[in-house]
Amino acid sequence: MQGDAQASGRPMVAVLPFVITGDNADARRLGEAIHEEICGELTRFRGLRVISPASAARLAEMPDDQIARDLSVSHILRGRMRRDGQRLQLTASLSSLQTHTQIWSDRFEVASNDVIDLEDKVVARIAASLNVKLEEVALADARRRPLGSLAAYDLTLQGMSLIRKGTHESSDAAQVLIKQALELDPLYARGHSALSLCWFNQWNCHFWDRFEEASQKAYLHARRALELDDSDAMAHLTVAQVALFRCAWEQAAWYLDRALMLCPNDAELLTHAAILEVFLGRAGSALAHLEHAMQINPYHSADYFAFAAVAAIFDGDLQRGVDLWSRCDAIPLIDIPAFAAAAHAHLGRVDVGRVEFARYVSGYREKIASGVDFAPDAPVEWVFQVNPFRRPQDIDFLREGFRMLDHALSVPAKGSTPVRATGTLSRAGSGWLAEFGGQHAIIPDLKGVHDIRRLLEVPGEEIHCLDLAEREADVPGGDVMLDERARASLKTRVRDLQEDLAEAEDMNDIGRAENVRLEMDQLLETLASALGLGGRRRKLGDLSEKARTAVTWRIRHALRRIEAAHPPLGRHLVNSLRTGTFCAYRPEAPIEWRFGGS
């Protein structure tokens, strides 16, 4: 790699316009569309950098050496399309400009009248294949270099490779590499995302006795990754996983959907997402994810069949589930044989079910009990205590299946926490009726009150500011910069308002003071959004940043109005609400809230 591509470590790809064989206007238009869509899809993968389609089009006639020299490109994707009767044929190949070798190629063919199918399947397959291949090449290159010469990207890439091995030793080694990457670049979002995944896997595979510690570290690093780069799909997925295992269903579903929206053609992400979909009660979606993953990664491991087996079983297609499971020669998740055992029992094949359940118990003895003796009911208790099934019918399916296999056990009830206080927030005319601590008051209808209500509904759960903002911050003008004159003008206005506020308070003019505070808060939030570290200018318009600013300001405004109308409730909320990129309601003691209206 040369120039900037070499310095950053991440591959820089130029997707050249597809060569169209023959004089066919429709094929040329389709080739242009596919060219642009491939470029757009590749930008979803955080480990790649992609030359824009317009710039790549200007390179089409240049020799490889000149392309590498002028744009620091490390790889080139070339394609050719031609019509053969009623069929469209497309070939694509990826070449390294460093080694002057072709490292990947593929061929596609569809009916010429099925253009949508061609675009969807070809674009997804090419994007997914390129991402995998380029990471393989970069990883091989990183392994050849001494550890001291690796940059943050290469260290993280090696760490991710170790994480996928799934052993205690590889996880420890991965942490060492990823932490070294973050020492080189503490603001490297992908490094935090990788460390988050490392902690999640350790908790998921090795540290069940340290659930809270490991899951909290996984969550904190994923959250840090999202604060640095809200478009990191794997970080969203990790937050979804931790939320799911805490039975925070809505939070898990939101982050899972966000991850899939950000990167819908990452086969690895799709397979992880599929299991989460099953636990959320969306097994049909899980099957769709896995079918897509198999299409875009045709040389996938047998693990894909195992995950598909779980999805089919909980989607109600038991025979398909056990057939898929029979194609696996490994057990990627310890509980899958138990799920298969229940499926066989419901199909009337109790003897086969008992064999599968024995496989599950063997895995439990090795990986969970670590060879130590355990109570006969322990493996069954484990299935119900650990797997976060949202739907009661999924739990009932397993319980009945185990009963037929002579492993009857009632589902352990989760411990309940005594309620120490109550509160009510309900619509009352054009405002809200708030009752708390034996007092009640009417508060105005503000956007911040709606935000607060959403947080009260899910105590302890963190909601991303984008979810609260409901895309209100996604407005035109995202590239506008706050120039020096505008900054100076805002600062002058803030000073004037401070003087106005002092005067209003001296005169006990409550209404005027409130209006001044509102304007000051808005101006200060604008300045904070526009200034980065050390007072440097920051680009305005970042979606997550604008949502954070908008939500924080309106919650603060609502809290001041609540404090004025209902001081005990205002004090409670000020002490219990957390705002920022992630917002949450964390009361010191449990509160049972009741709601009315919307």
Side-chain angles (χ1 to χ4, degrees), residues 38-60:
I38 291 172
C39 291
E41 190 59 38
L42 285 175
T43 62
R44 294 176 180 267
F45 294 92
R46 311 311 298 165
L48 306 180
R49 293 175 302 154
V50 186
I51 296 293
S52 72
S55 296
R58 301 181 64 177
L59 307 176

Side-chain angles (χ1 to χ4, degrees), residues 558-571:
L559 287 174
R560 280 196 296 272
R561 301 297 293 271
I562 293 171
E563 281 185 292
H566 195 317
L569 175 58
R571 286 193 296 271

Side-chain angles (χ1 to χ4, degrees), residues 368-445:
I368 306 303
S370 300
V372 177
D373 290 339
F374 49 85
D377 286 345
V380 181
E381 290 179 350
W382 171 270
V383 171
F384 293 118
Q385 289 176 345
V386 172
N387 291 287
F389 288 105
R390 183 180 191 177
R391 299 194 311 170
Q393 54 264 47
D394 291 332
I395 296 173
D396 292 342
F397 164 79
L398 291 173
R399 180 167 53 188
E400 177 60 18
F402 294 159
R403 184 195 65 77
M404 289 187 281
L405 299 174
D406 300 325
H407 294 287
L409 184 73
S410 61
V411 181
K414 292 183 179 291
S416 58
T417 304
V419 177
R420 302 179 187 175
T422 61
T424 300
L425 187 62
S426 57
R427 291 309 299 262
S430 60
W432 294 81
L433 173 64
E435 296 184 75
F436 181 80
Q439 300 181 31
H440 68 273
I442 298 294
I443 56 178
D445 185 26

Side-chain angles (χ1 to χ4, degrees), residues 252-564:
W254 190 87
Y255 283 99
L256 174 60
D257 292 342
R258 174 86 171 148
L260 292 166
M261 180 191 72
L262 286 168
C263 204
N265 292 317
D266 185 331
E268 182 179 358
L269 186 144
L270 287 167
T271 56
H272 284 290
I275 294 300
L276 272 63
E277 296 277 28
V278 170
F279 289 138
L280 284 169
R282 307 188 312 202
S285 296
L287 279 171
H289 296 333
L290 288 161
E291 288 170 358
H292 186 47
M294 291 178 188
Q295 288 175 351
I296 61 179
N297 182 19
Y299 303 107
H300 59 78
S301 70
D303 289 355
Y304 282 38
F305 296 124
F307 299 140
V310 175
I313 287 171
F314 288 97
D315 194 42
D317 193 343
L318 305 186
Q319 187 58 56
R320 182 185 179 190
V322 296
D323 288 344
L324 285 165
W325 177 234
S326 68
R327 302 176 67 175
C328 302
D329 55 1
I331 304 176
L333 294 177
I334 190 173
D335 296 335
I336 296 180
F339 302 155
H344 279 294
H346 281 279
L347 289 169
R349 298 194 286 264
V350 174
D351 289 343
V352 180
R354 286 173 177 158
V355 172
E356 286 290 355
F357 196 85
R359 288 181 68 193
Y360 161 64
V361 172
S362 177
Y364 177 91
R365 177 177 292 105
E366 176 188 353
K367 296 184 178 181
I368 306 303
S370 300
V372 177
D373 290 339
F374 49 85
D377 286 345
V380 181
E381 290 179 350
W382 171 270
V383 171
F384 293 118
Q385 289 176 345
V386 172
N387 291 287
F389 288 105
R390 183 180 191 177
R391 299 194 311 170
Q393 54 264 47
D394 291 332
I395 296 173
D396 292 342
F397 164 79
L398 291 173
R399 180 167 53 188
E400 177 60 18
F402 294 159
R403 184 195 65 77
M404 289 187 281
L405 299 174
D406 300 325
H407 294 287
L409 184 73
S410 61
V411 181
K414 292 183 179 291
S416 58
T417 304
V419 177
R420 302 179 187 175
T422 61
T424 300
L425 187 62
S426 57
R427 291 309 299 262
S430 60
W432 294 81
L433 173 64
E435 296 184 75
F436 181 80
Q439 300 181 31
H440 68 273
I442 298 294
I443 56 178
D445 185 26
L446 304 168
K447 287 185 177 180
V449 176
H450 290 263
D451 297 330
I452 291 171
R453 170 174 170 159
R454 288 193 63 185
L455 296 171
L456 295 179
E457 289 174 338
V458 285
E461 293 187 24
E462 291 192 329
I463 300 179
H464 198 281
C465 60
L466 281 171
D467 194 18
L468 287 174
E470 295 179 340
R471 301 284 183 263
E472 289 180 11
D474 191 7
V475 298
D479 292 327
V480 176
M481 299 288 289
L482 194 61
D483 60 23
E484 295 295 337
R485 177 182 293 182
R487 291 170 59 198
S489 176
L490 287 177
K491 290 179 180 178
T492 300
R493 181 58 181 157
V494 169
R495 286 194 295 269
D496 292 342
L497 289 171
Q498 288 172 336
E499 295 175 3
D500 290 347
L501 179 59
E503 181 180 330
E505 290 177 340
D506 287 342
M507 299 177 64
N508 198 29
D509 190 340
I510 298 175
R512 179 185 170 196
E514 176 68 9
N515 290 333
V516 172
R517 287 194 190 95
L518 287 176
E519 186 176 351
M520 279 182 59
D521 282 347
Q522 289 175 314
L523 293 179
L524 290 172
E525 289 290 354
T526 300
L527 278 171
S529 300
L531 298 178
L533 296 174
R536 293 188 294 271
R537 286 187 298 170
R538 177 191 293 162
K539 183 180 290 187
L540 290 178
D542 175 76
L543 180 60
S544 182
E545 177 63 20
K546 288 200 290 186
R548 183 198 66 78
T549 299
V551 169
T552 298
W553 178 84
R554 66 197 196 192
I555 287 179
R556 288 178 183 172
H557 174 47
L559 287 174
R560 280 196 296 272
R561 301 297 293 271
I562 293 171
E563 281 185 292

